[in-house]
Amino acid sequence: MEDIKKLVIGTAQFGQDYGVTNQAGKVLLSDVQSIFALARECNISTLDTASVYGDSESVLGDLGVNDFDVITKLAEFDETKPNFNESIECAMLASLSRLRLTCVDTILLHRPDQLLGCHGEKIFYALKNIKEKGLARRIGISIYSPDFLDEVPRKFKFDVVQVPLNVFDQRIISSGWLEKLTNMNVSVMARSIFLQGTLLARFVDLPEYFQPWGKEFRAWADYCLINKISPLQASLKFVSQIPEVEKIIVGIESENQLSEIIQAFKTPHIAKPDHLAVNDLGLISPIQWPK
């Protein structure tokens, strides 16, 4: 099953409560062990974490992740400190210490908007220094909107860009940036493919905040019905059949959930849901949702 190699286990729930539809809370250590066992059995070899995901990095380090490719993210930097090389390297070494690794596959900036400030060049070259020192094989950014890419100086060359992508949020495609990044040999990783679980939930079970988008959710339900597939299958297949997407990050809360996702990868190709794309940031941008 070739598509399964695209799957990345998102570990935000391993270190904290995460997601608007998450009712189970932080994943138990025993459940994380079961998830890893199934992942290894199915040759799923990549994990996504961050220094700001509670104690997620420490959980991974305690369990042992030497046989996984690890993606992690550096938190916002204190721009009052003069030596960015030193502060960024210290942050990277702290992450590696928690992970009990000497090198990660990819390090991303969690707050890439700092690149647009007066210290942007110093931050970029400090990040590049991390790669040159062999602490990370690849460097990149995690963004909330492809509009950000229009503002990044062309001299900032990244290996990876992590972007939101789902049936409602197709901005990385419509903006032309998916094609541009591919032509620039930049790997694209998709996250938020379930829009924090809202695409998998029944509309009546969603928080009241989402009531104004009943039309959009009904169109989504109709699309799944017409294609005779579940919302999980449709959400996953939409992203997995986009050839330009190298990796797909999915937050996992249990072994059963991972098993369902693995099975969903076997879904035959489906018609592209271009008509479901939404431009309303109130729906597609979780940072605008009420806390």
Side-chain angles (χ1 to χ4, degrees):
M1 190 169 30
E2 191 68 23
D3 280 356
I4 199 67
K5 294 181 180 178
K6 289 188 174 188
L7 184 60
V8 177
I9 295 176
T11 69
Q13 294 95 325
F14 295 1
Q16 62 183 358
D17 295 346
Y18 180 80
V20 70
T21 61
N22 177 17
Q23 297 180 347
K26 182 178 172 180
V27 179
L28 297 175
L29 195 61
S30 58
D31 290 330
V32 178
Q33 291 174 313
S34 298
I35 290 167
F36 282 180
L38 180 57
R40 290 180 172 109
E41 182 183 327
C42 296
N43 296 315
I44 298 165
S45 60
T46 310
L47 307 174
D48 178 83
T49 188
S51 60
V52 297
Y53 289 168
D55 61 352
S56 174
E57 287 184 332
S58 296
V59 169
L60 300 186
D62 290 344
L63 290 177
V65 290
N66 287 301
D67 53 337
F68 286 98
D69 291 328
V70 176
I71 304 159
T72 193
K73 308 174 195 72
L74 297 174
E76 180 179 1
F77 303 114
D78 182 353
E79 297 192 41
T80 64
K81 293 185 177 180
N83 193 330
F84 283 96
N85 269 334
E86 182 179 328
S87 60
I88 289 177
E89 185 173 337
C90 282
M92 182 74 251
L93 289 172
S95 282
L96 289 172
S97 177
R98 290 188 290 269
L99 289 163
R100 301 187 189 182
L101 297 173
T102 57
C103 173
V104 295
D105 177 75
T106 306
I107 186 69
L108 305 174
L109 289 181
H110 217 157
R111 276 286 312 282
D113 52 297
Q114 290 190 293
L115 291 169
L116 306 181
C118 60
H119 300 297
E121 193 165 324
K122 291 180 181 178
I123 292 174
F124 172 75
Y125 284 104
L127 191 66
K128 190 177 177 184
N129 184 55
I130 292 294
K131 180 180 175 181
E132 291 171 350
K133 287 196 170 187
L135 302 178
R137 288 183 284 273
R138 300 191 292 179
I139 60 173
I141 52 177
S142 177
I143 62 173
Y144 290 108
S145 166
D147 293 342
F148 176 81
L149 297 170
D150 294 325
E151 304 178 58
V152 177
R154 289 290 182 266
K155 61 184 176 182
F156 292 176
K157 303 295 183 183
F158 295 106
D159 303 307
V160 174
V161 174
Q162 198 178 101
V163 303
L165 175 61
N166 54 68
V167 292
F168 283 167
D169 185 357
Q170 301 185 33
R171 291 173 294 169
I172 192 66
I173 300 172
S174 60
S175 66
W177 268 109
L178 181 59
E179 182 179 0
K180 290 178 190 176
L181 290 170
T182 302
N183 291 338
M184 294 161 61
N185 293 318
V186 177
S187 296
V188 176
M189 297 182 179
R191 69 165 194 280
S192 196
I193 71 164
F194 304 133
L195 197 56
Q196 289 201 14
T198 58
L199 290 169
L200 306 183
R202 297 191 310 164
F203 182 64
V204 294
D205 294 332
L206 289 175
E208 186 178 350
Y209 172 78
F210 295 97
Q211 294 306 306
W213 295 286
K215 178 183 176 183
E216 286 78 6
F217 280 98
R218 282 192 295 273
W220 164 235
D222 289 344
Y223 171 80
C224 294
L225 193 62
I226 290 169
N227 284 277
K228 299 179 180 179
I229 53 177
S230 69
L232 173 66
Q233 291 172 307
S235 298
L236 189 57
K237 203 62 190 179
F238 162 63
V239 181
S240 68
Q241 67 187 30
I242 300 173
E244 295 87 354
V245 173
E246 178 198 300
K247 295 288 185 181
I248 303 167
I249 298 136
V250 178
I252 303 294
E253 298 171 15
S254 68
E255 179 186 1
N256 285 341
Q257 190 182 71
L258 177 57
S259 181
E260 289 177 5
I261 288 167
I262 291 168
Q263 290 302 312
F265 267 98
K266 298 178 182 179
T267 305
H269 275 12
I270 57 175
K272 291 175 64 179
D274 297 341
H275 66 289
L276 294 175
V278 177
N279 293 318
D280 189 340
L281 294 180
L283 174 58
I284 64 175
S285 180
I287 59 173
Q288 300 206 20
W289 297 352
K291 302 299 183 187

